[in-house]
Amino acid sequence: MKCSRRSFLKKGLGSAIAASLPLSSFKFLSPAEARAAVGDPAVRWGFLINTYKCTGCGFCVKACKKENKVPYDLPVTRTWVERYVVTRDGEAHIDSPAGGRDGYTDPKIEGKEIAAEEITKAFFVPKLCNQCQNPACVQVCPVGATFQTEDGVVLVDRTWCIGCGYCIMACPYGVRFFHPVYKVAEKCTFCYHRITKGMKSACVQACPFGARQIGDLKDPDDPVTRAILTQRVAVLKDEYGTKPQVFYIGLDENVR
Amino acid sequence: MKNHVLRPLFAAMALVALILTARALMVPSDFGVHGKSFTYNFYRAGAVSDWKNFPVSYKGGGSCVECHDENAESLAASRHQIIQCENCHGPARNHPEDPETLTINRSRDLCLRCHADLPYPGSLRSELPAIDPGEHNPGEACVECHNPHNPNLEDME
């Protein structure tokens, strides 16, 4: 075997560098560390709703309105709870008085008495902004007043919104409304001021039964991510292609 | 070239200059694409911090225990332990400075949110202890007989 002086020096230098590398530089990066190294935003907020656990107490709606200073007695709300009562004839009776703000205390639905024997299934479905991956409401804004943050929450810039209402029409889920005080488009922010401080959204904190949960979908160890990965979940109006990020356990065909 | 031919051209150029100056003055400097796409991430960056600075009203967790330890301990040991104080008493904000005291709601409606009987198979609602408000001591406040911070029936006097 021939070994020139040049190649000897080259290989010698190479092995010296390799030998001086500590073992720790070969360790595997966790997905979170790898993402941080690549510069990808580390968080993607997502929501999980378990409709089996919702009792229709309405504390989430109350907490949302008070936390976010949405006028309490006007018929506008960022989140609401719907009641579905399906009877033996296959009919679904649906209501949401005042968005469920005061809870469900009356078995009558829109004045109609429904006998307990007639009910085949009945449940409550909380609704809020889906913080879509492809938000139709943002696409239609003519002035750039609504946008998606890097951690996936769709916000409205109150100083920039001209109140044209395109986004309110564009949302397939009807979660946007016109703010009666600020005269701009208004929507659920996942309580951006809370989640960015490490707190839970007001509705999540208010729910005594854990029917609402918020989490980081990019963290594989987050209980919400875990549940979405391992359990059977569904989203609302998948066919619109907006890629909603609010996932439901126990969704029913009657829920639109 | 004749002056009357060039005049509209100068007028048009002045108009464009005016619009560009107005735009430069009125659009905040932090307006632009912050993120991956023009479609979804075209905005004023300051709007994000505006939302982050929104005040927190619901303090949650164990923030009440240091002053109202009696209520907090009794609640924590009871069947109502899962209910946040602020659900029944309203947002604490900067209580006890502002507001100095929180609301006390003795209405039946507060309790009926969870305890009014709704026969809903498949929903957790039907598993909560339930009463028919029309038959269970109508007209009387629930808290006349039940302690909201410890509703356990076996502890009733």
Side-chain angles (χ1 to χ4, degrees):
Chain A
M1 194 187 119
K2 226 171 77 189
C3 182
S4 73
R5 179 157 140 160
R6 169 179 292 244
S7 82
F8 172 78
L9 284 175
K10 247 185 181 170
K11 284 185 181 144
L13 196 64
S15 358
I17 290 173
S20 65
L21 272 178
L23 256 189
S24 63
S25 47
F26 295 100
K27 77 170 176 155
F28 286 97
L29 288 178
S30 79
E33 285 169 315
R35 261 197 322 272
V38 179
D40 196 18
V43 180
R44 203 310 170 196
W45 297 107
F47 214 87
L48 178 67
I49 293 176
N50 187 337
T51 61
Y52 293 107
K53 288 187 180 171
C54 181
T55 64
C57 72
F59 278 143
C60 50
V61 181
K62 177 186 173 191
C64 172
K65 290 192 103 167
K66 298 219 156 168
E67 173 75 24
N68 295 297
K69 306 198 171 56
V70 178
Y72 200 68
D73 290 317
L74 295 182
V76 289
T77 180
R78 288 181 177 192
T79 182
W80 66 96
V81 179
E82 296 171 353
R83 165 163 67 177
Y84 291 77
V85 175
V86 184
T87 44
R88 254 195 257 203
D89 52 10
E91 209 186 319
H93 307 264
I94 307 167
D95 73 344
S96 185
R101 185 196 72 188
D102 301 327
Y104 291 83
T105 55
D106 192 346
K108 285 202 203 105
I109 294 186
E110 282 167 353
K112 246 184 327 199
E113 201 89 56
I114 297 172
E117 317 81 71
E118 286 298 310
I119 300 175
T120 50
K121 57 182 167 184
F123 48 89
F124 299 95
V125 181
K127 295 231 175 125
L128 72 166
C129 174
N130 285 283
Q131 315 291 2
C132 304
Q133 197 75 50
N134 302 325
C137 54
V138 173
Q139 224 164 354
V140 300
C141 181
V143 297
T146 184
F147 56 93
Q148 191 178 46
T149 63
E150 293 186 11
D151 41 12
V153 178
V154 175
L155 299 176
V156 177
D157 183 347
R158 280 184 177 166
T159 65
W160 210 244
C161 175
I162 57 172
C164 71
Y166 283 180
C167 55
I168 300 174
M169 302 308 292
C171 174
Y173 307 97
V175 302
R176 282 178 177 247
F177 58 93
F178 196 68
H179 198 295
V181 176
Y182 299 102
K183 315 283 185 209
V184 294
E186 172 78 359
K187 70 181 289 297
C188 159
T189 62
F190 272 3
C191 285
Y192 202 64
H193 57 295
R194 297 174 64 93
I195 55 179
T196 48
K197 292 187 187 77
M199 305 172 84
K200 302 264 179 231
S201 309
C203 60
V204 173
Q205 183 176 289
C207 182
F209 307 102
R212 292 173 174 250
Q213 282 178 277
I214 188 160
D216 173 12
L217 300 184
K218 284 194 178 165
D219 176 1
D221 295 324
D222 192 295
V224 170
T225 316
R226 273 245 139 106
I228 291 169
L229 290 176
T230 57
Q231 296 186 42
R232 282 158 286 178
V233 294
V235 293
L236 293 169
K237 296 184 185 168
D238 198 19
E239 66 276 14
Y240 281 71
T242 52
K243 294 212 168 54
Q245 302 296 307
V246 174
F247 296 85
Y248 285 87
I249 293 175
L251 213 51
D252 187 82
E253 55 160 346
N254 290 297
V255 183
R256 290 284 138 76
Chain B
M1 222 189 283
K2 294 242 177 64
N3 210 14
H4 73 272
V5 178
L6 287 178
R7 220 180 282 145
L9 178 65
F10 292 143
M13 279 161 68
L15 191 66
V16 168
L18 185 72
I19 292 173
L20 287 179
T21 333
R23 188 180 183 278
L25 288 178
M26 290 172 72
V27 175
S29 59
D30 55 349
F31 210 103
V33 179
H34 310 285
K36 289 194 202 76
S37 89
F38 179 79
T39 317
Y40 301 130
N41 310 111
F42 180 65
Y43 61 97
R44 186 175 66 88
V48 176
S49 33
D50 286 358
W51 279 112
K52 279 188 186 164
N53 294 335
F54 198 84
V56 168
S57 292
Y58 278 79
K59 294 290 188 272
S63 60
C64 322
V65 67
E66 57 179 284
C67 304
H68 302 287
D69 50 335
E70 220 170 276
N71 290 300
E73 275 155 24
S74 133
L75 186 77
S78 81
R79 295 221 160 92
H80 272 175
Q81 66 188 73
I82 54 174
I83 312 175
Q84 291 279 332
C85 313
E86 286 164 298
N87 279 340
C88 296
H89 293 294
R93 281 194 220 103
N94 294 321
H95 169 74
E97 284 87 46
D98 168 41
E100 279 175 16
T101 168
L102 296 184
T103 45
I104 292 184
N105 179 357
R106 293 191 179 83
S107 76
R108 286 169 71 91
D109 286 341
L110 174 69
C111 315
L112 294 178
R113 280 173 178 259
C114 293
H115 291 299
D117 190 16
L118 296 178
Y120 291 167
S123 168
L124 184 63
R125 178 59 174 256
S126 58
E127 288 160 35
L128 298 183
I131 48 122
D132 179 347
E135 309 217 321
H136 190 81
N137 308 297
E140 278 180 85
C142 317
V143 291
E144 296 286 334
C145 306
H146 300 290
N147 177 352
H149 307 123
N150 177 13
N152 298 15
L153 289 182
E154 61 268 24
D155 296 342
M156 259 173 100
E157 57 278 352

